[in-house]
Amino acid sequence: MKKILILNGPNLNLLGVREKGIYGDQSFETYFETLKERFADNADLSYFQSNTEGFIIDKLHEVGFSHDGIVLNAGAYTHTSVAIADAIAAINTPVIEVHISNVHQREAFRHHSYLSKNCKGVILGFGLDSYRLGIESLI
């Protein structure tokens, strides 16, 4: 049984109500229940969300030596946070960077990720299904 954390960054607590044309109309909490059911036989999934960069870094440090994988959607911090990139580099647990939208079809500032070079892989543009793909890659 793989121990996997899904870690969401800023504004992802508003999934289902914000910019539905980009992010859909389902809350992450509802989708997370679907993921837990789907992977019940081979993954122990946990979930954490924060709008605060330091709390995301703290959570990476907390689980980065004890879990089998982390699926991380750092939201806008993807494009701004050297500190989160450094935290990923500092831990042993593999991290999969995920994005709901295809960031390369969006504003130019979203085309660069500070995190990608320290992640095992990157999955983007498949809606909430990006998380499922990230989990599958870790299993």
Side-chain angles (χ1 to χ4, degrees):
M1 179 84 66
K2 298 276 187 172
K3 196 169 185 178
I4 298 172
L5 170 70
I6 298 174
L7 179 54
N8 274 344
N11 300 309
L12 292 165
N13 57 307
L14 298 177
L15 288 176
V17 296
R18 73 178 274 228
E19 300 174 278
K20 292 179 182 181
I22 296 172
Y23 300 106
D25 59 1
Q26 186 175 28
S27 73
F28 192 82
E29 290 74 13
T30 300
Y31 183 67
F32 183 61
E33 292 304 316
T34 303
L35 290 173
K36 287 196 304 187
E37 289 173 21
R38 180 182 186 116
F39 294 105
D41 293 336
N42 47 13
D44 176 15
L45 298 178
S46 57
Y47 171 58
F48 181 80
Q49 186 277 330
S50 179
N51 294 315
T52 305
E53 184 179 31
F55 292 160
I56 293 168
I57 293 166
D58 289 344
K59 185 57 81 170
L60 287 165
H61 292 175
E62 177 187 326
V63 304
F65 299 94
S66 61
H67 281 51
D68 299 301
I70 299 168
V71 176
L72 171 63
N73 184 342
Y77 287 138
T78 301
H79 320 293
T80 63
S81 182
V82 174
I84 292 175
D86 286 350
I88 294 167
I91 62 176
N92 295 335
T93 299
V95 176
I96 305 297
E97 177 185 338
V98 301
H99 300 281
I100 296 167
S101 67
N102 180 346
V103 295
H104 300 290
Q105 292 178 334
R106 299 185 62 195
E107 304 92 339
F109 75 87
R110 297 185 195 274
H111 298 179
H112 178 338
S113 168
Y114 282 98
L115 315 182
S116 296
K117 75 179 193 77
N118 296 331
C119 292
K120 180 180 178 185
V122 180
I123 299 169
L124 53 91
F126 293 98
L128 290 175
D129 214 28
S130 295
Y131 293 93
R132 177 189 59 81
L133 295 167
I135 294 165
E136 288 180 356
S137 74
L138 291 165
I139 292 173

